[in-house]
Amino acid sequence: MSTAALVVAVALLVTGAVLFVAWPLASPDAGPPEQVLSDRDRRVLELRERRDEAYQGLHDLEQELHTGKITPADYELERGRLRAEAAAALRELDGLSEPDPLR
Amino acid sequence: MVAGLRRDRRVMRSVQNAFAAAFVSALVAIAALEYGLVTNDYSLSVVFEHTSRNLPLIYKMTSLWASQEGSLLLWLTVLTGAAGIVMYQNRHRNRELVPWVAAVLGGIAVFFAGLAAFVSSPFAHVPGAVPTDGSGLDPSLQNPYMAAHPPMLYLGYVSMAVPFAFAMAALITRRTDARWLVSVRRWTLVSWTALGIGMLLGAHWAYVEIGWGGYWAWDPVESAALMPWLAATAFLHSVMVQEKKGMLKVWNMVLVITAFSLCIFGDFLTRSGVVQSVHSFVQSAVGPWLLGFLALVLAASISLLIVRLPTLRADHKLESVVSREATFLFNNLLLLALAFAVLWGVVFPILSEAARGVRATVATPYYDFFLVIFGLPLLALTGIGPLIAWRRASPGSLWRTFRWPVISGLAGGAFLALLGLGSSPAGLTALSLCVFVTVTIGMEFARGTAARRAIAGGSWPRALRDLVNRNRRRYGGYVVHLAIVLLVVGVTASSAYSSVDEANLGVGQSMRIDGYTLRNTGLFQRRGPNYRLEYVRLQVYKGGKPDGILEPGLRQYDTGQVGNEVDIRSSLLTGTDLYSILQAPDRNGSGVSVKVLVNPAVGLVWLAGVVFALGALITIWPDPREARQLARRYGELLARSEA
């Protein structure tokens, strides 16, 4: 490849890259700005994570009972606690007028 | 950063395009360098220093990463490729995090692009007249494993930047809920798997190519890959505790920062020339830059973590030390303790040289000591963790769950002692623990399959398939645990119970080792594509009957370099290797000098790699059930944030 051809190839590559990167900035379709989550939304996410942790805990508990890793007495005790945790998260979610898609 | 601060969608689209353009540009640079390598363009320093005209084509191509400069370019290509994939994966999700993820990944990419462009350029020219031939590639790098081993390690090192970038983005935006963990778990698995497979490929390369009879020598560059792998292993366990219990949030951040920092430190070790290693590049100017970059990464990430500590409070407390979350915590502490013991072994010689002007040596016994001290409890936890309940376990359930694994482990240990394996107490303990862990894994699959069958009916194979499909992370993890057991058995047997002997053999003379007899039948020569091979033919006998031939030799390359060519006979049934090395040909009539090793069960080390890859694949494979659950949790909130 001659030097001239090489220079042309590199120029084309650089120009193409610059146009490709700059094109969205020149686009008239700006769209609305990205929105960040509000404090309420963050609290909802936190509560949903707690709810899912409790649901996952209940699922694990069932599995642990079936595979003999816990006694039935331990199962009852833990199930009560996990259900109470899930209920507390759901109550607060209701208070934030946040319907639970699982219900 | 502008996209993150202004929340301008056009800037974000431009960022996404910039990563794609960077990746394509890096690929073009790789293609240009490969073109120079295969067309013998000796005006380029990289081509002149690492190839020669008669080098086979495949090694001309792989010599790209044999050089400091070319490997930097490969590193940059993998990094921009990974960043491009992250941008594509997250084009419709994680809109709050992604601008900052892009900023961190972009910062890292700019640093490495700067190194490749201004400090260690792969397109630097040879001064003066263009040479007619090159210096040749190091003989030890003329091996098929070198085609896969370095790229695999680079993939492991580089992809660890993705979890780090998400962790920093989560801290910057105060989005320290579990969402960032979900986004990085699979990337961490990719990095961890690539590092694991890369290390095993490197170990096999050392075994068949370097020619000292082993596969792991605690070389600083080997350790450089092991340290982030250990930190990533800890993270992959502790992430489960955060997901299920909302605990260890600070700890997970610390682990991600540690894993990425160790990757940069590993790169520094390999490229700076501060350590003596068969794997490292020659001393170069990139070392101080990498050290400065590491200091910047640590200072910035730790400062950010300290500022955001109030947002990382745990949702729950540890309820009992006898629980699965507690075993994960112990596992984490042991893994990090092992990583830092290895780190100290690597940096101590450097520090001693800097302080006293004398390079101290940290030998294998140092590492073996810590491997036993931390490794055996870790192995025990590999069996204990899966069987113990979350939250807390009662003494009654503990006995019921653990009695058969414990009895099996003790019985297995007694049986192995009767076979004479008590000569190594640590080895016997490790093998007994392997029995214990294997039984726990078997029980987990058996009980899980039985429970699945009780719920859904169907055949046993179908119940097993459904069990794995419904919880790929857990059961893929158990397959990885099985790989660890195979690895431990292979390493223990081949190191604690191997035999070695050396002899000078004239033609017709024999040596005996571990039931084998090897007779020298003569010294021969053969011509290869770019070398002359001188080898001794050893007729092997076992029980008085012929049992194959070994032909260890020495390669004299046309460039003047000399390379060892070991010959190995492997037993598929037992995994035992008969390993032969020609140390010196017969020059003065005293016979050829040969070294022979019998490495029991070493085949299990390589089998462990296959099982490890299988387990990792099961774990990495996308799970639609999990995706649906996450959509329920985050879906409409994130849609609202994008409205």
Side-chain angles (χ1 to χ4, degrees), chain B residues 163-187:
Chain B
F164 175 75
F166 268 95
M168 293 303 102
L171 288 174
I172 292 167
T173 58
R174 296 188 296 116
R175 282 290 310 276
T176 49
D177 51 79
R179 189 70 188 93
W180 76 273
L181 287 178
V182 174
S183 302
V184 304
R185 205 178 52 219
R186 207 156 261 117
W187 275 101

Side-chain angles (χ1 to χ4, degrees), chain B residues 574-590:
Chain B
T574 63
T576 297
D577 280 0
L578 185 60
Y579 188 108
S580 60
I581 308 160
L582 175 61
Q583 302 196 114
D586 190 357
R587 297 283 182 235
N588 51 15
S590 62

Side-chain angles (χ1 to χ4, degrees), chain A residues 20-21 27 29 32 34-35 41-42 45 48-49 52 60-61 64 67 69 74 78 81 102, chain B residues 7 9-10 13-14 17 95-96 177-178 244 319 386 390-392 394 444 632-633 636 640:
Chain A
F20 184 57
V21 173
S27 166
D29 178 23
E34 297 278 5
Q35 292 185 5
D41 290 342
R42 286 173 197 275
L45 274 182
R48 286 185 181 184
E49 278 178 10
D52 287 352
D60 291 339
L61 203 64
E64 284 167 356
T67 52
K69 289 178 194 167
D74 286 344
E78 289 302 324
R81 273 169 33 114
L102 294 184
Chain B
R7 293 182 274 123
R9 288 170 191 241
R10 289 182 304 182
R13 283 200 290 271
S14 172
N17 287 1
R95 305 293 282 261
E96 202 175 350
D177 51 79
K244 286 181 184 289
E319 294 177 35
W390 287 100
R391 297 163 300 282
R392 68 165 68 85
S394 63
E444 272 297 277
R632 278 201 302 269
R633 188 192 292 174
E636 79 274 22
R640 188 188 303 158

Side-chain angles (χ1 to χ4, degrees), chain B residues 186-210:
Chain B
R186 207 156 261 117
W187 275 101
T188 313
L189 276 166
V190 167
S191 172
W192 174 80
T193 305
L195 279 175
I197 293 175
M199 280 190 289
L200 276 173
L201 286 173
H204 202 261
W205 165 74
Y207 190 64
V208 300
E209 186 62 45
I210 302 292

Side-chain angles (χ1 to χ4, degrees), chain B residues 104 126 288 294 305 317 426 498 582 624:
Chain B
V104 175
V126 174
L294 176 62
L305 179 60
K317 287 188 173 161
S498 69
L582 175 61

Side-chain angles (χ1 to χ4, degrees), chain B residues 72-73 75-76 79-80 106-120:
Chain B
L72 260 178
L73 194 55
W75 181 287
L76 180 66
L79 179 62
T80 50
I108 298 167
V110 164
F111 171 75
F112 280 99
L115 282 187
F118 303 115
V119 183
S120 185

Side-chain angles (χ1 to χ4, degrees), chain B residues 155-172:
Chain B
L155 175 63
Y157 279 136
V158 171
S159 49
M160 200 65 86
V162 178
F164 175 75
F166 268 95
M168 293 303 102
L171 288 174
I172 292 167

